[in-house]
Each structure stands twice: as structure tokens, then as C-alpha cells.
Amino acid sequence: MDRLSSFSNDPSDKPPCRGCSSYLMEPYIKCAECGPPPFFLCLQCFTRGFEYKKHQSDHTYEIMTSDFPVLDPSWTAQEEMALLEAVMDCGFGNWQDVANQMCTKTKEECEKHYMKHFINNPLFASTLLNLKQAEEAKTADTAIPFHSTDDPPRPTFDSLLSRDMAGYMPARADFIEEFDNYAEWDLRDIDFVEDDSDILHALKMAVVDIYHSRLKERQRRKKIIRDHGLINLRKFQLMERRYPKEVQDLYETMRRFARIVGPVEHDKFIESHALEFELRREIKRLQEYRTAGITNFCSARTYDHLKKTREEERLKRTMLSEVLQYIQDSSACQQWLRRQADIDSGLSPSVPMASNSGRRSAPPLNLTGLPGTEKLNEKEKELCQMVRLVPGAYLEYKSALLNECNKQGGLRLAQARALIKIDVNKTRKIYDFLIREGYITKA
């Protein structure tokens, strides 16, 4: 008996019997040889040996039912689905309405079962989701807010860090160049005298009120920066990098809305999307297990171990094929081995490869195992391989160029070379790539 059911408890949600066209009631029969679409029969038509077109009475079959326990011996799969549908219809916490809709369980039984198996289930905290450590789950049940920096850095004037901080001076809690920096110019020639007419006096007061509103806007912007911890930009970027790349892209898009809500609410919003991403990834992993025919976590661990072993073997074969390309040239082979040793130790390889023609040329950089590779898209990976730039360095250079472009409203190649102290040809390729992909714009 195949104890599976793809439909809800409502008979109208099931397809009709192919024999008598009546609504199917569990248990019912599914032909294992016919389909798609699936061929269903009620028990009466099945016992009569109903045959239709290609379907024969001697075909193998499956008995479809949901009358079996899943999480609790006293709860059937049909009741589990009915409980979830009732909670969705009536809302979490309305246990009396949930019990009334189910009709088979009491209010206390519904609440106890739902809280035990769907809210406080230990699998969701450790085995399935694996999103946070157990200690963090005990001490922090809400998102971690971005606290304002208690001791912000004090960079020297006109340094790269000072430009990243928009010229913020921690000792004065002020900026070198204010927002709407020339607002005071409108007041420099205003002088209140006793013989001013009423209209002139009202006009001067209006100018003062406008200046006051511009000062309030300055303070509002400073408050946003301080509340969200944006003063220490490097620390803020490190906190941002803890998320996967997909969540980082969303975070970059939603940053402009941080001014609308407080830091805690904004962080909860980002954390919720990070949780959604982890859930989707975990569901995909479980679907992979189901496709492979795995039904328990013990087998899943064995499957993961074998999968990792297969990936390592495949990588070794790839490395071996790459070695064979240079096996006839002993010098090139030795350089390749040194380059792989540098990669394994976390260093950036700098030894160029030598071809048989005598010209010094280097193959694309192998990004396997390098930190930060998972944060790159395919085009960025291709750029790092051709330019021979490790992903971590590329991400830092990209962040610096984006920040400078956002502040200046555009970026020239000369400015990019002043920010990135590496080979000018590599800087040009990075600059052209960011322009082409729309990350930055030319000044």
C-alpha cells in the first residue's frame, strides 16, 4: 500500500473516478503503469475489473490513503493537513475556531499538537534549518539591530577611510562638508532693523523659517546615519557580508528605505529575508534527498559524505587533466605546482606560466576553494579568472569604486587608479567591467 495522498480532505478537490465519474473517497486506487495523467479508480470500479483504453485490470496499482500517522501516533496525515488548513483559515491562536473546523479534535489537542510539532519542534532548530547556533537561539529570539558605533574610527584627513565616512569627524560629531552646505548663504545679508515694513519683516522671517527647516533636515540625516551604524562603514560592510550574496543584493536595494523605519525594524526585515533564503535552500536540499530516494537523516548524512567524495574525485581529475597539458614542459609544470601550492595556502599566485613558444602567458586563475567565490556571479568569476584576481580583493576594490561613484555621481578611470593601487591594466579591466555591467557610471 502506498500511503500517499496528493489531495485534501475535500472530495471535490480530487479528480473523479475514471470508471463511474464519481468523486473519489479514500482509500482509492491509482494505476502504477498508466499515465500521465494519473489513472484513478474507486474501490467499486476496481473490484469489477474496469478497463479503459490502455488500462488493463492486471496492471500493478497503488492504494492511495492518508489514514496513517506522520508526527504523532494519534494524528493521521489527513488530520495533519486539516489542522494546517484550519490554522491558515482561522489564524494562529484561534484554537476554538480551528477545533470547530476540524471536528475531530478539541481546542486543547489542536493547540498542543501544533505548538509541539510545528513551532517547538527541535528538528527546525538543529537538523533541518541549522540557521543559528543553539546558544544564539537561547539568548536572542529577535533580530540583532545595527547599533550606532560607540567608538567610531578617527581617520586622517583626506584618507580613503575618511572619504568612505563622508568626512565625518567623531570628536565633533559633525561632517567636514554638511548636507546643503551653503544654506547659511541665504542669511548672510539679512539684518532685522526697527524701520522694516511688515511685508519685509515677514519676508525675512520666512527666510529664517526655511533655513530652520534645512537645519532640521541636516539633523535628520545625521540621526539616520548614527542610528543605523553607518558612520563606521567598514564595520557596517563586514556585518553585511555575513549574509549570502542573494540577500546582500536585496540588502543593497533596500538600504534606501532604512530612513523610513528604525534600525531594529530594518534589521528584522533583512533577517526575515535571510531566513527565507535559508528555508528555500533547505527545502531544495530535502527535495534532493527525496529525489535520491532518501527517507531518513542517517541516510542523508551518508549521501552527503559520498557526494563530497565524488566532488573531490572530480576535482582531482580536473587538476590532473590540467597538469597533463604542461607535462611535456618541465618548467611550466613546476610553475603550475607552485601556483597550486600558493592557492592552497591562501596566497595570490603571481608566477606566470611559460608556453612552448617562449612567450610568458598565464592560464586563468583557479577559484576553487578561494574565500569569497560564492559571492560572485558568473561574469565576475570569469573576470577574476582572466585578470587573475582573488575574489576577496575584487570585492574590496568593487566596494571602494561603488562608494566613490555614489559620492561623486560618476567615476573616471584616473580616479579608479588612484583608489586601487594595483597594476594599471587590471584596474582598467575592472573599471571597464563595472561600467559595462552598470555598477558604476562614467564621470
Side-chain angles (χ1 to χ4, degrees):
M1 177 182 293
D2 188 4
R3 295 186 169 186
L4 296 174
S5 179
S6 303
F7 309 103
S8 67
N9 191 31
D10 189 355
S12 61
D13 289 344
K14 302 180 179 70
C17 171
R18 297 296 293 271
C20 60
S21 298
S22 62
Y23 287 121
L24 293 172
M25 300 295 295
E26 294 183 0
Y28 54 93
I29 305 301
K30 175 186 176 184
C31 180
E33 300 182 19
C34 298
F39 192 93
F40 296 111
L41 289 174
C42 64
L43 293 181
Q44 290 74 18
C45 294
F46 175 73
T47 55
R48 292 199 307 266
F50 175 80
E51 295 181 348
Y52 179 75
K53 293 184 178 181
K54 295 182 179 181
H55 175 69
Q56 302 296 321
S57 59
D58 60 348
H59 282 182
T60 57
Y61 61 90
E62 301 172 357
I63 302 176
M64 309 298 290
T65 180
S66 58
D67 188 19
F68 61 93
V70 178
L71 301 175
D72 193 305
S74 61
W75 283 68
T76 64
Q78 186 174 353
E79 289 176 328
E80 298 282 1
M81 292 187 294
L83 174 64
L84 295 177
E85 291 177 358
V87 172
M88 184 180 299
D89 294 339
C90 304
F92 177 79
N94 298 325
W95 302 116
Q96 186 60 56
D97 295 339
V98 171
N100 294 339
Q101 181 169 327
M102 287 193 61
C103 300
T104 59
K105 298 293 181 181
T106 64
K107 167 187 174 182
E108 290 75 16
E109 289 175 335
C110 293
E111 180 179 4
K112 181 179 179 181
H113 183 80
Y114 191 86
M115 296 300 295
K116 178 181 178 181
H117 294 286
F118 295 100
I119 299 299
N120 300 322
N121 194 331
L123 291 177
F124 288 97
S126 57
T127 307
L128 290 179
L129 299 183
N130 196 20
L131 298 179
K132 296 183 178 180
Q133 298 296 331
E135 293 298 327
E136 294 178 351
K138 294 179 181 179
T139 57
D141 55 353
T142 60
I144 303 174
F146 289 137
H147 294 293
S148 57
T149 49
D150 299 325
D151 186 19
R154 292 166 172 78
T156 58
F157 177 73
D158 204 26
S159 62
L160 178 60
L161 181 57
S162 177
R163 293 196 296 271
D164 288 342
M165 295 171 57
Y168 181 74
M169 298 176 290
R172 294 176 54 185
D174 217 336
F175 292 88
I176 297 175
E177 184 173 342
E178 293 281 3
F179 167 75
D180 199 359
N181 197 46
Y182 300 100
E184 288 78 11
W185 283 23
D186 296 335
L187 295 176
R188 58 182 178 177
D189 296 328
I190 292 181
D191 186 15
F192 289 90
V193 295
E194 295 181 357
D195 56 351
D196 283 342
S197 63
D198 294 340
I199 296 179
L200 183 59
H201 182 78
L203 179 60
K204 292 180 178 180
M205 290 301 299
V207 173
V208 173
D209 290 340
I210 293 173
Y211 172 69
H212 181 66
S213 65
R214 295 161 84 174
L215 290 181
K216 289 174 64 177
E217 178 62 18
R218 283 182 185 175
Q219 295 303 318
R220 187 186 72 87
R221 291 172 177 255
K222 291 179 184 178
K223 184 177 184 300
I224 292 173
I225 292 176
R226 281 192 285 264
D227 289 347
H228 288 270
L230 299 177
I231 293 173
N232 192 342
L233 187 60
R234 296 292 174 85
K235 181 180 178 181
F236 181 81
Q237 291 173 343
L238 290 176
M239 296 178 68
E240 180 182 346
R241 289 173 185 171
R242 62 180 178 169
Y243 297 115
K245 183 180 183 301
E246 292 80 358
V247 183
Q248 289 185 20
D249 295 339
L250 172 70
Y251 189 87
E252 184 68 26
T253 304
M254 301 306 297
R255 182 183 297 176
R256 67 196 66 182
F257 298 106
R259 69 184 73 178
I260 302 175
V261 297
V264 178
E265 290 76 10
H266 180 70
D267 190 69
K268 284 183 178 179
F269 175 77
I270 300 298
E271 288 285 344
S272 65
H273 281 274
L275 177 61
E276 178 187 0
F277 172 77
E278 293 292 341
L279 286 171
R280 290 181 181 274
R281 185 169 63 179
E282 187 64 27
I283 290 173
K284 184 177 180 181
R285 185 171 70 92
L286 295 177
Q287 289 175 339
E288 180 184 354
Y289 291 157
R290 176 60 60 87
T291 304
I294 296 173
T295 58
N296 56 71
F297 287 105
C298 181
S299 301
R301 287 192 292 269
T302 304
Y303 173 81
D304 289 335
H305 176 71
L306 294 176
K307 181 180 178 181
K308 182 179 179 181
T309 303
R310 289 193 297 268
E311 290 293 331
E312 291 176 351
E313 292 296 330
R314 183 187 61 81
L315 180 61
K316 289 179 180 178
R317 290 195 297 270
T318 304
M319 295 175 62
L320 180 59
S321 63
E322 190 175 350
V323 171
L324 293 177
Q325 296 178 6
Y326 306 103
I327 200 67
Q328 296 179 353
D329 190 336
S330 59
S331 176
C333 185
Q334 291 296 327
Q335 291 179 0
W336 185 90
L337 292 174
R338 286 196 295 270
R339 178 170 64 89
Q340 291 299 324
D342 290 340
I343 293 176
D344 294 338
S345 62
L347 300 177
S348 176
S350 58
V351 179
M353 300 295 295
S355 63
N356 293 331
S357 61
R359 297 180 59 188
R360 298 175 65 85
S361 60
L365 176 64
N366 185 4
L367 302 181
T368 304
L370 294 182
T373 305
E374 69 280 357
K375 299 180 181 179
L376 306 180
N377 58 37
E378 293 302 324
K379 293 184 178 180
E380 290 176 325
K381 289 179 182 179
E382 183 179 354
L383 174 68
C384 290
Q385 289 174 340
M386 300 308 298
V387 181
R388 300 183 57 78
L389 191 65
V390 295
Y394 165 75
L395 291 173
E396 295 230 355
Y397 298 153
K398 175 184 175 183
S399 177
L401 294 178
L402 288 178
N403 291 335
E404 186 68 19
C405 181
N406 292 334
K407 289 190 298 183
Q408 302 293 339
L411 192 67
R412 300 193 306 272
L413 178 59
Q415 294 174 314
R417 287 173 174 170
L419 288 174
I420 304 178
K421 303 299 184 181
I422 59 175
D423 181 72
V424 292
N425 294 324
K426 291 186 177 181
T427 304
R428 178 58 183 264
K429 292 180 180 179
I430 297 174
Y431 176 80
D432 291 342
F433 173 80
L434 297 178
I435 291 288
R436 185 170 60 253
E437 295 299 319
Y439 291 106
I440 61 177
T441 57
K442 288 186 178 181

